[in-house]
Short mmCIF file of all heavy atoms in Angstrom, two decimals:
data_model
loop_
_atom_site.label_atom_id
_atom_site.label_comp_id
_atom_site.label_asym_id
_atom_site.label_seq_id
_atom_site.Cartn_x
_atom_site.Cartn_y
_atom_site.Cartn_z
N GLY X 9 -8.02 13.96 11.31
CA GLY X 9 -8.97 12.87 11.50
C GLY X 9 -9.14 12.42 12.93
O GLY X 9 -9.79 11.39 13.18
N THR X 10 -8.61 13.17 13.85
CA THR X 10 -8.82 12.83 15.26
C THR X 10 -10.31 12.76 15.55
O THR X 10 -11.07 13.66 15.18
CB THR X 10 -8.16 13.88 16.18
OG1 THR X 10 -6.77 13.92 15.91
CG2 THR X 10 -8.38 13.52 17.64
N THR X 11 -10.71 11.70 16.20
CA THR X 11 -12.14 11.47 16.43
C THR X 11 -12.41 11.26 17.91
O THR X 11 -11.68 10.53 18.58
CB THR X 11 -12.63 10.25 15.64
OG1 THR X 11 -12.26 10.38 14.26
CG2 THR X 11 -14.15 10.13 15.72
N TYR X 12 -13.45 11.89 18.36
CA TYR X 12 -13.93 11.72 19.73
C TYR X 12 -15.23 10.93 19.69
O TYR X 12 -16.06 11.13 18.80
CB TYR X 12 -14.18 13.07 20.38
CG TYR X 12 -15.06 13.00 21.60
CD1 TYR X 12 -14.55 12.62 22.83
CD2 TYR X 12 -16.42 13.27 21.51
CE1 TYR X 12 -15.37 12.54 23.95
CE2 TYR X 12 -17.25 13.19 22.61
CZ TYR X 12 -16.72 12.83 23.83
OH TYR X 12 -17.52 12.74 24.92
N TYR X 13 -15.39 10.03 20.66
CA TYR X 13 -16.64 9.30 20.83
C TYR X 13 -17.12 9.45 22.27
O TYR X 13 -16.32 9.35 23.21
CB TYR X 13 -16.47 7.81 20.52
CG TYR X 13 -16.09 7.51 19.09
CD1 TYR X 13 -14.77 7.29 18.73
CD2 TYR X 13 -17.07 7.47 18.10
CE1 TYR X 13 -14.43 7.02 17.41
CE2 TYR X 13 -16.74 7.19 16.78
CZ TYR X 13 -15.41 6.98 16.45
OH TYR X 13 -15.09 6.72 15.15
N ALA X 14 -18.40 9.65 22.42
CA ALA X 14 -18.98 9.63 23.75
C ALA X 14 -18.84 8.23 24.34
O ALA X 14 -18.85 7.23 23.61
CB ALA X 14 -20.45 10.03 23.68
N ASP X 15 -18.71 8.16 25.64
CA ASP X 15 -18.55 6.87 26.30
C ASP X 15 -19.71 5.93 25.99
O ASP X 15 -19.53 4.72 25.90
CB ASP X 15 -18.45 7.07 27.82
CG ASP X 15 -17.11 7.66 28.23
OD1 ASP X 15 -16.17 7.63 27.43
OD2 ASP X 15 -17.02 8.15 29.38
N SER X 16 -20.89 6.50 25.79
CA SER X 16 -22.07 5.69 25.57
C SER X 16 -22.05 4.95 24.24
O SER X 16 -22.80 3.99 24.05
CB SER X 16 -23.33 6.57 25.64
OG SER X 16 -23.24 7.63 24.71
N VAL X 17 -21.19 5.37 23.32
CA VAL X 17 -21.16 4.74 21.99
C VAL X 17 -19.79 4.18 21.64
O VAL X 17 -19.63 3.53 20.60
CB VAL X 17 -21.59 5.72 20.89
CG1 VAL X 17 -22.95 6.33 21.20
CG2 VAL X 17 -20.55 6.82 20.67
N LYS X 18 -18.81 4.41 22.48
CA LYS X 18 -17.45 3.99 22.19
C LYS X 18 -17.40 2.48 22.00
O LYS X 18 -17.97 1.71 22.78
CB LYS X 18 -16.53 4.42 23.33
CG LYS X 18 -15.06 4.47 22.99
CD LYS X 18 -14.26 5.07 24.13
CE LYS X 18 -14.60 6.53 24.35
NZ LYS X 18 -13.79 7.14 25.43
N GLY X 19 -16.73 2.08 20.94
CA GLY X 19 -16.63 0.66 20.63
C GLY X 19 -17.77 0.13 19.78
O GLY X 19 -17.70 -0.99 19.26
N ARG X 20 -18.82 0.93 19.63
CA ARG X 20 -19.97 0.50 18.83
C ARG X 20 -20.17 1.38 17.59
O ARG X 20 -20.62 0.88 16.56
CB ARG X 20 -21.25 0.55 19.68
CG ARG X 20 -21.21 -0.35 20.89
CD ARG X 20 -22.56 -0.40 21.60
NE ARG X 20 -22.98 0.91 22.10
CZ ARG X 20 -24.11 1.52 21.73
NH1 ARG X 20 -24.93 0.95 20.85
NH2 ARG X 20 -24.42 2.71 22.24
N PHE X 21 -19.83 2.65 17.72
CA PHE X 21 -20.03 3.59 16.62
C PHE X 21 -18.68 3.96 16.02
O PHE X 21 -17.68 4.08 16.74
CB PHE X 21 -20.71 4.87 17.10
CG PHE X 21 -22.16 4.72 17.48
CD1 PHE X 21 -22.76 3.48 17.62
CD2 PHE X 21 -22.93 5.85 17.71
CE1 PHE X 21 -24.09 3.34 17.98
CE2 PHE X 21 -24.27 5.75 18.06
CZ PHE X 21 -24.84 4.49 18.19
N THR X 22 -18.66 4.20 14.72
CA THR X 22 -17.45 4.62 14.03
C THR X 22 -17.79 5.74 13.05
O THR X 22 -18.71 5.59 12.24
CB THR X 22 -16.81 3.46 13.26
OG1 THR X 22 -16.53 2.38 14.16
CG2 THR X 22 -15.51 3.91 12.60
N THR X 23 -17.03 6.82 13.15
CA THR X 23 -17.19 7.94 12.22
C THR X 23 -16.09 7.88 11.17
O THR X 23 -14.93 7.63 11.50
CB THR X 23 -17.11 9.27 12.98
OG1 THR X 23 -18.24 9.37 13.86
CG2 THR X 23 -17.13 10.45 12.03
N SER X 24 -16.47 8.13 9.94
CA SER X 24 -15.48 8.18 8.88
C SER X 24 -15.83 9.30 7.91
O SER X 24 -16.98 9.72 7.82
CB SER X 24 -15.42 6.84 8.13
OG SER X 24 -16.67 6.52 7.55
N ARG X 25 -14.83 9.79 7.22
CA ARG X 25 -15.00 10.88 6.28
C ARG X 25 -14.60 10.41 4.90
O ARG X 25 -13.60 9.71 4.74
CB ARG X 25 -14.14 12.09 6.62
CG ARG X 25 -14.12 12.56 8.02
CD ARG X 25 -13.21 13.76 8.19
NE ARG X 25 -13.59 14.85 7.31
CZ ARG X 25 -13.86 16.08 7.72
NH1 ARG X 25 -13.79 16.36 9.01
NH2 ARG X 25 -14.19 17.02 6.87
N ASP X 26 -15.35 10.83 3.90
CA ASP X 26 -14.96 10.66 2.51
C ASP X 26 -15.02 12.05 1.89
O ASP X 26 -16.05 12.49 1.37
CB ASP X 26 -15.91 9.70 1.79
CG ASP X 26 -15.43 9.36 0.39
OD1 ASP X 26 -14.64 10.16 -0.18
OD2 ASP X 26 -15.84 8.33 -0.15
N ASN X 27 -13.92 12.75 1.97
CA ASN X 27 -13.90 14.14 1.51
C ASN X 27 -14.13 14.25 0.02
O ASN X 27 -14.67 15.25 -0.47
CB ASN X 27 -12.58 14.81 1.90
CG ASN X 27 -12.48 15.05 3.39
OD1 ASN X 27 -13.48 15.22 4.08
ND2 ASN X 27 -11.26 15.04 3.91
N ALA X 28 -13.75 13.22 -0.72
CA ALA X 28 -13.97 13.24 -2.17
C ALA X 28 -15.47 13.25 -2.50
O ALA X 28 -15.88 13.79 -3.52
CB ALA X 28 -13.30 12.05 -2.82
N LYS X 29 -16.26 12.65 -1.61
CA LYS X 29 -17.72 12.62 -1.79
C LYS X 29 -18.42 13.65 -0.93
O LYS X 29 -19.65 13.69 -0.90
CB LYS X 29 -18.26 11.23 -1.46
CG LYS X 29 -17.78 10.14 -2.41
CD LYS X 29 -18.43 8.80 -2.07
CE LYS X 29 -18.01 7.72 -3.05
NZ LYS X 29 -18.62 6.40 -2.73
N ASN X 30 -17.65 14.47 -0.24
CA ASN X 30 -18.23 15.48 0.66
C ASN X 30 -19.23 14.85 1.62
O ASN X 30 -20.29 15.42 1.91
CB ASN X 30 -18.94 16.59 -0.14
CG ASN X 30 -17.96 17.41 -0.94
OD1 ASN X 30 -16.86 17.67 -0.49
ND2 ASN X 30 -18.37 17.82 -2.12
N THR X 31 -18.87 13.71 2.16
CA THR X 31 -19.78 12.96 3.02
C THR X 31 -19.06 12.42 4.24
O THR X 31 -17.90 12.00 4.15
CB THR X 31 -20.42 11.79 2.24
OG1 THR X 31 -21.10 12.30 1.09
CG2 THR X 31 -21.43 11.03 3.11
N VAL X 32 -19.76 12.46 5.35
CA VAL X 32 -19.27 11.86 6.59
C VAL X 32 -20.28 10.80 7.00
O VAL X 32 -21.49 10.99 6.86
CB VAL X 32 -19.12 12.92 7.69
CG1 VAL X 32 -18.69 12.28 9.01
CG2 VAL X 32 -18.12 13.99 7.26
N TYR X 33 -19.76 9.70 7.52
CA TYR X 33 -20.60 8.57 7.88
C TYR X 33 -20.53 8.30 9.38
O TYR X 33 -19.50 8.53 10.02
CB TYR X 33 -20.18 7.32 7.12
CG TYR X 33 -20.17 7.48 5.63
CD1 TYR X 33 -19.00 7.77 4.95
CD2 TYR X 33 -21.35 7.35 4.90
CE1 TYR X 33 -18.99 7.92 3.57
CE2 TYR X 33 -21.35 7.50 3.51
CZ TYR X 33 -20.17 7.79 2.87
OH TYR X 33 -20.18 7.94 1.49
N LEU X 34 -21.62 7.77 9.90
CA LEU X 34 -21.64 7.27 11.27
C LEU X 34 -22.14 5.83 11.20
O LEU X 34 -23.32 5.60 10.97
CB LEU X 34 -22.55 8.11 12.17
CG LEU X 34 -22.59 7.68 13.63
CD1 LEU X 34 -21.24 7.91 14.30
CD2 LEU X 34 -23.69 8.41 14.39
N GLN X 35 -21.22 4.89 11.35
CA GLN X 35 -21.57 3.49 11.37
C GLN X 35 -21.95 3.11 12.79
O GLN X 35 -21.14 3.28 13.71
CB GLN X 35 -20.41 2.62 10.89
CG GLN X 35 -20.67 1.13 10.93
CD GLN X 35 -21.74 0.70 9.93
OE1 GLN X 35 -21.72 1.13 8.78
NE2 GLN X 35 -22.65 -0.18 10.37
N MET X 36 -23.15 2.61 12.95
CA MET X 36 -23.66 2.29 14.29
C MET X 36 -23.94 0.81 14.36
O MET X 36 -24.80 0.29 13.65
CB MET X 36 -24.94 3.09 14.57
CG MET X 36 -24.78 4.59 14.40
SD MET X 36 -26.23 5.54 14.88
CE MET X 36 -27.42 4.94 13.70
N ASN X 37 -23.20 0.14 15.22
CA ASN X 37 -23.35 -1.30 15.42
C ASN X 37 -23.83 -1.58 16.83
O ASN X 37 -23.75 -0.73 17.71
CB ASN X 37 -22.03 -2.01 15.16
CG ASN X 37 -21.51 -1.84 13.74
OD1 ASN X 37 -22.29 -1.74 12.79
ND2 ASN X 37 -20.20 -1.80 13.60
N SER X 38 -24.31 -2.80 17.02
CA SER X 38 -24.77 -3.23 18.35
C SER X 38 -25.72 -2.21 18.96
O SER X 38 -25.57 -1.82 20.13
CB SER X 38 -23.57 -3.48 19.27
OG SER X 38 -22.70 -4.43 18.74
N LEU X 39 -26.67 -1.79 18.19
CA LEU X 39 -27.57 -0.73 18.63
C LEU X 39 -28.42 -1.18 19.81
O LEU X 39 -28.81 -2.35 19.92
CB LEU X 39 -28.46 -0.28 17.48
CG LEU X 39 -27.75 0.65 16.48
CD1 LEU X 39 -28.49 0.69 15.15
CD2 LEU X 39 -27.60 2.04 17.06
N LYS X 40 -28.70 -0.22 20.68
CA LYS X 40 -29.47 -0.45 21.88
C LYS X 40 -30.71 0.44 21.87
O LYS X 40 -30.71 1.50 21.22
CB LYS X 40 -28.63 -0.12 23.12
CG LYS X 40 -27.32 -0.85 23.21
CD LYS X 40 -26.50 -0.36 24.40
CE LYS X 40 -25.16 -1.07 24.50
NZ LYS X 40 -24.36 -0.58 25.67
N PRO X 41 -31.74 0.08 22.60
CA PRO X 41 -32.92 0.95 22.65
C PRO X 41 -32.60 2.37 23.10
O PRO X 41 -33.22 3.33 22.62
CB PRO X 41 -33.82 0.23 23.67
CG PRO X 41 -33.44 -1.21 23.54
CD PRO X 41 -31.96 -1.20 23.28
N GLU X 42 -31.61 2.52 23.96
CA GLU X 42 -31.24 3.86 24.42
C GLU X 42 -30.54 4.69 23.35
O GLU X 42 -30.27 5.87 23.57
CB GLU X 42 -30.38 3.79 25.68
CG GLU X 42 -29.18 2.87 25.59
CD GLU X 42 -29.46 1.48 26.17
OE1 GLU X 42 -30.57 0.92 25.91
OE2 GLU X 42 -28.56 0.95 26.87
N ASP X 43 -30.23 4.10 22.21
CA ASP X 43 -29.69 4.87 21.09
C ASP X 43 -30.79 5.56 20.29
O ASP X 43 -30.51 6.34 19.38
CB ASP X 43 -28.90 3.96 20.15
CG ASP X 43 -27.65 3.39 20.79
OD1 ASP X 43 -26.95 4.13 21.51
OD2 ASP X 43 -27.36 2.19 20.58
N THR X 44 -32.03 5.27 20.61
CA THR X 44 -33.16 5.87 19.91
C THR X 44 -33.14 7.39 20.09
O THR X 44 -33.11 7.88 21.23
CB THR X 44 -34.48 5.29 20.42
OG1 THR X 44 -34.54 3.90 20.11
CG2 THR X 44 -35.67 6.01 19.78
N ALA X 45 -33.14 8.11 18.98
CA ALA X 45 -33.07 9.56 19.01
C ALA X 45 -33.13 10.09 17.59
O ALA X 45 -33.04 9.31 16.62
CB ALA X 45 -31.78 10.03 19.68
N VAL X 46 -33.25 11.39 17.48
CA VAL X 46 -33.01 12.05 16.20
C VAL X 46 -31.53 12.40 16.15
O VAL X 46 -30.99 12.99 17.08
CB VAL X 46 -33.86 13.33 16.04
CG1 VAL X 46 -33.55 14.01 14.71
CG2 VAL X 46 -35.35 12.99 16.13
N TYR X 47 -30.90 11.99 15.06
CA TYR X 47 -29.47 12.21 14.90
C TYR X 47 -29.24 13.35 13.91
O TYR X 47 -29.85 13.40 12.84
CB TYR X 47 -28.80 10.93 14.39
CG TYR X 47 -28.62 9.89 15.46
CD1 TYR X 47 -29.72 9.21 15.99
CD2 TYR X 47 -27.36 9.59 15.97
CE1 TYR X 47 -29.57 8.27 16.99
CE2 TYR X 47 -27.20 8.64 16.98
CZ TYR X 47 -28.30 8.00 17.48
OH TYR X 47 -28.14 7.07 18.47
#
């Protein structure tokens, strides 16, 4: 579960895994206009 975050999102974004649901999440808080992109 070691996780890397880019400096631009550190402290605002959180990645988590739910292997039972075969799903990974990206929680994005304190969003900024510069976060606008296709993910």
Side-chain angles (χ1 to χ4, degrees):
T10 300
T11 308
Y12 162 81
Y13 296 98
D15 287 344
S16 57
V17 306
K18 199 173 294 182
R20 299 187 298 121
F21 289 11
T22 303
T23 294
S24 60
R25 313 180 57 125
D26 187 338
N27 289 332
K29 295 184 178 179
N30 293 324
T31 302
V32 177
Y33 303 97
L34 182 67
Q35 178 67 44
M36 305 186 297
N37 299 327
S38 302
L39 282 161
K40 305 175 181 180
E42 51 264 42
D43 294 319
T44 296
V46 178
Y47 284 70

